Amino acid sequence: MKIQLPEDVKYIIDRLQEQGYEAYAVGGCVRDTLLGRNPSDWDITTSATPSQVKKTFERTVDTGIAHGTVTVMLEKSGYEVTTYRIDGEYEDARHPKSVTYTSSLLEDLKRRDFTINAMAYNEMEGLVDAFCGEQDLKDGIIRCVGEPRERFTEDALRMLRAVRFAAQLGFSIEENTSGAIRELSSLLSKVSAERIQVELVKLLVSPHPEELEELYTLGISRVILPEWDVMMETPQQNPHHCYTVGKHTIEVVKGVRPDKVLRLAALFHDVSKPECRSTDRAGVDHFYGHPQVGAKRTKEILRRLKFDNATIDAVCALVKGHDVNPDPQPKYVRRTLRGLGESCFPAMFELKHADIMAQSEYKQQEKLTALEKYRRLYQEIVERRECISLKGLAVNGRDLMEIGVPAGKQIGKILDALLEVVMEDPSKNTKEYLLGYTLENLFIR
Ligand code: ATP
Ligand code: MG
């Protein structure tokens, strides 16, 4: 098996070998290349210690020196070069207490999580595949290196990673490995939110986000996202629906682009249906207020998972607006845009479309037609650059002061009132009209 190494990677390996060290491309890049995919980055593993690596190259950065990683900077990009290591005892199923360097490639490969991630390659030795990773790649199997129970006890995050790789590659998890996850999933409570977030997002934006169901069946979400379990268990007795909240959600996630914000919004758009559910006398379920409550809940969840504020705001705006359907008139659409914030559009239409497609056929065509009208009206508003916020108003506070309005609270009140006027009729958004209107109706000199 010959792998075409990029020039830079070859150069780094050659230089290390010239100095008498061993060096290999390792992990994800070998796996992806064997699958005929383009690796996102190339990692190198070497028998050289970090200080030896630093002596071999002109420009290096101590990125993870405590764990033996040095980034070698070449002209265009940096490459992580990590010394062969054995991870010491694990603390709190989280990180190794200590790392020990070793001169044995095999020892380094043994500490890696899955067989498909534990292969190394260089041109001198070819593929080093001590755990039949290539066969598992062919068979589409995620299997721990060594005894799964030990490996998950060392680092519980690996359980979530197993599902993440299954989702990215369309693989299935080998039985002994999945059995160990069922037993040990509660250990995930010790893993930091930051690490969980990374894996969860990779799963969500993968080609098989339906693996979300596996998080539930393996007992992982019970620990890291209990809200998901409740969704999986909540039925929807309602003519508009044909799935549980969880199954419906999976369809919506699949129905939007693999974009982080959109997929998170799809995952959480109905998060509060369980708590907002009421069943009427005819046995029909209703979920009044679930988008607003859902936005609040989503914020709590995303904060808990340590997402950044920009992501949280963008996702929550989509959750809050996913069920808003303005009457098909420009002024109502303008109001909706103002209320929800322009920035969650046009992504909102993609979420709404996926949401409708994941519902029952009842009135589906009508819903799609209404959505199309909503989208067209939105586009016209954008194309005509109609004003839907104070920013777009033809007058500002200074203009008001020039006609005699004193600085202070009154300014804001007048601007708000003028925005109302303009939202009703965009042709009124001229300085002349608005100042005249102010003097006549809003401010007595
Ligand atoms: P991606 O394409 O998502 O980056 P990757 O396989 O490169 O996939 P990384 O998280 O970047 O995944 O990790 C790089 C390599 O380090 C893995 O291929 C694996 O060999 C090893 N590894 C990473 N995390 C762990 C872990 N928690 N336990 C054991 N080995 C790990
Ligand atoms: Mg990687």
Side-chain angles (χ1 to χ4, degrees), residues 304-318:
R304 189 177 81 212
L305 290 170
K306 300 277 175 16
F307 278 88
D308 58 281
N309 287 334
T311 302
I312 295 177
D313 291 346
V315 173
C316 290
L318 286 167

Side-chain angles (χ1 to χ4, degrees), residues 166-171 203 205-212 254 263:
Q168 282 183 323
L169 303 170
F171 282 17
L203 190 166
V205 302
S206 75
H208 297 282
E210 65 274 16
E211 290 289 331
L212 283 165
K254 285 201 290 188
R263 291 233 158 143

Side-chain angles (χ1 to χ4, degrees), residues 25-27 30 34 109 115-120 127-129 133-134 137:
V26 70
V30 176
L34 291 177
L109 295 179
T115 59
I116 58 168
N117 288 345
M119 292 180 277
L127 186 70
V128 179
D129 176 17
E134 199 181 10
L137 265 189

Side-chain angles (χ1 to χ4, degrees), residues 26-29 31-32 40-41 43 87 90 111-114 117-118 151 155 157-158 161 164-165 168 195 199 202:
V26 70
C29 60
R31 176 198 69 222
D32 289 344
S40 51
D41 44 30
D43 293 327
D87 292 338
Y90 275 73
R111 72 164 172 94
R112 294 175 185 271
D113 46 7
F114 305 110
N117 288 345
R151 306 316 309 283
D155 181 6
L157 184 73
R158 290 170 186 156
R161 282 171 64 86
R164 183 264 271 200
F165 285 113
Q168 282 183 323
R195 294 179 81 207
E199 298 299 328
K202 285 186 176 180

